Amino acid sequence: MNRPIRLGMVGGGEGAMIGNVHRIAARLDGRFDLVAGALSSDEARAAESARALGITRSYGDFRQMARDEAARPDGIEAVSVCTPNHLHEPVSRAFLEQGIHVICDKPMTATLDQARHLADVARGSDALFILTHNYSAYPQIRQARAMIARGDLGTLRLVQVEYAQDWLTQDTDSKQAEWRTDPARAGAGGAIGDIGTHAFQLARFVTGELPERLAADLTSFVPGRKLDDNAHILLRYASGAKGMLWASQVAPGTENGLRLRVYGDKGGLEWQHDTPETLKYTPFGQPAQILRRAGPGSTPDGSRVPPGHPEGYLEGFANLYAEAAQAIRSGTMPDTLPGIRDGLEGLQFIDACIRSNAADAAWVQVMP
């Protein structure tokens, strides 16, 4: 079928950053047509956003939207969930139970119990659940994953991943900060839930390994802040590899400092988000190789334009939407598309960090 998939959206109304990113990504390849939305819990505001965005059907309640759209012959086939974390589970569940595919922003839910419940719902539904860990769709991240899988680095020894920002360095009442620093809406994790889960999933995606144990030191540096804004986390893997994860939103001078380094007994790889089209590969004892997206020695996975024409955040997001469209049409999830497993692992990571920090950074099992 060549027609666009009919798409709905919950949350992400006019002025919401992540909602706009989802909309751009969904339409970049012409694979989706956004036709319905519950863009706000306030019906009037939802309708206003829908009019501004050219969405034909507006709802003030996502449950009503799920029921009504499922009953329509031209109802939506998939929905983007762009709400604060505490609504991810009830919104996703409402649509999965109606057989409507879900494309959800991360983390999957606000709590581990919610994640387990949603996983059960998803397994019992004919619809797919897709999680937008968009960094895993960058071409050079896919390149790194393929190189590690074929043994270019040998036996893995060290995994270093960091995600640093500065936008919460001081107290702020911005709309984005308000819910992300509120445990009732963000869940138990602050920086670890917002950006730490991205770093955790990226390392997991590239290496194929899930840490067995971790030791987490979480800090809220801003006085009165209820959730962590900085985390230093040690990781231990069953293979014998060891890792470190740093997530911070109080690091002045860093805008979106995502960086991954992986080292084995035969070589190392380095990638960072501010130069996403470059992957540095260094075989031990040899000169470093700079692998450029779509250039010599690189795989074409995910590339949209020729070398020298930069691709970045929106294109990575769009790659996930393109894969989501293909999965919806085929009914099969590729192993590169984040889903229920990634969501559960992300909440297990947050839960383990909270338990470890409560025990003065003691070592804990990631999956007790």
Side-chain angles (χ1 to χ4, degrees):
M1 299 176 67
N2 294 321
R3 67 164 178 80
I5 293 166
R6 295 185 296 273
L7 180 68
M9 180 171 286
V10 178
E14 193 177 18
M17 185 278 287
I18 200 63
N20 196 41
V21 168
H22 277 262
R23 285 187 289 272
I24 293 170
R27 67 174 178 255
L28 196 58
D29 294 298
R31 306 288 292 274
F32 292 90
D33 184 17
L34 183 58
V35 298
L39 303 180
S40 170
S41 58
D42 181 284
E43 191 168 358
R45 290 182 60 192
E48 183 179 350
S49 283
R51 282 192 297 271
L53 296 169
I55 297 174
T56 55
R57 298 193 294 275
S58 177
Y59 299 84
D61 178 81
F62 66 83
R63 293 182 179 87
Q64 187 67 46
M65 175 181 167
R67 291 191 297 267
D68 288 1
E69 290 294 320
R72 294 177 63 107
D74 62 346
I76 63 170
E77 299 158 277
V79 65
S80 297
V81 181
C82 306
T83 66
N85 302 346
H86 72 295
L87 291 172
H88 287 185
E89 190 274 337
V91 173
S92 298
R93 173 164 44 87
F95 286 89
L96 288 171
E97 288 175 346
Q98 295 293 338
I100 295 170
H101 304 287
V102 172
I103 303 170
C104 184
D105 206 56
K106 59 83 223 155
M108 183 165 78
T109 58
T111 70
L112 180 55
D113 285 344
Q114 286 182 341
R116 289 169 173 156
H117 183 229
L118 185 58
D120 289 339
V121 173
R123 294 183 186 115
S125 173
D126 292 332
L128 301 178
F129 178 88
I130 296 153
L131 197 63
T132 54
H133 278 295
N134 57 298
Y135 300 111
S136 65
Y138 279 50
Q140 293 309 82
I141 287 296
R142 299 286 177 89
Q143 172 85 19
R145 184 176 191 253
M147 292 174 68
I148 289 174
R150 72 182 181 218
D152 290 5
L153 270 59
T155 301
L156 297 188
R157 290 174 171 173
L158 304 172
V159 180
Q160 304 281 122
V161 62
E162 64 184 56
Y163 200 158
Q165 300 173 333
D166 67 359
W167 71 292
L168 294 179
T169 296
Q170 297 180 355
D171 198 12
T172 174
D173 59 358
S174 75
K175 182 178 180 180
Q176 296 299 319
E178 182 191 13
W179 74 260
R180 283 180 169 84
T181 57
D182 176 10
R185 288 176 285 175
I192 56 171
D194 191 22
I195 57 177
T197 50
H198 266 314
F200 181 80
Q201 192 270 345
L202 189 68
R204 164 73 158 125
F205 180 83
V206 169
T207 66
E209 296 196 20
L210 181 69
E212 281 191 328
R213 305 174 71 202
L214 62 75
D217 181 18
L218 310 182
T219 307
S220 300
F221 277 109
V222 174
R225 183 165 288 164
K226 297 178 181 179
L227 293 175
D228 64 279
D229 50 31
N230 189 86
H232 291 93
I233 303 164
L234 297 176
L235 307 169
R236 289 182 180 173
Y237 296 86
S239 65
K242 296 189 175 183
M244 293 177 62
L245 187 155
W246 173 45
S248 182
Q249 293 174 312
V250 292
T254 53
E255 296 173 332
N256 202 57
L258 178 60
R259 185 180 185 188
L260 175 69
R261 291 170 286 176
V262 184
Y263 304 100
D265 61 355
K266 293 182 180 179
L269 288 172
E270 299 182 28
W271 178 89
Q272 56 191 54
H273 186 253
D274 57 359
T275 54
E277 299 199 307
T278 297
L279 179 66
K280 181 181 178 182
Y281 169 49
T282 308
F284 178 67
Q286 300 180 35
Q289 301 177 23
I290 303 301
L291 303 177
R292 295 281 293 168
R293 179 194 57 81
S298 185
T299 62
D301 191 3
S303 291
R304 294 171 172 274
V305 295
H309 300 73
E311 292 185 11
Y313 182 75
L314 292 173
E315 291 86 354
F317 231 110
N319 286 342
L320 281 190
Y321 264 88
E323 287 190 349
Q326 185 175 349
I328 289 168
R329 288 298 187 219
S330 68
T332 304
M333 287 273 288
D335 62 4
T336 53
L337 190 59
I340 286 293
R341 188 200 71 179
D342 300 81
L344 276 171
E345 289 176 356
L347 268 297
Q348 288 163 341
F349 162 73
I350 294 172
D351 178 73
C353 288
I354 300 295
R355 288 187 283 111
S356 172
N357 186 69
D360 197 22
W363 286 98
V364 301
Q365 295 292 322
V366 174
M367 292 183 289

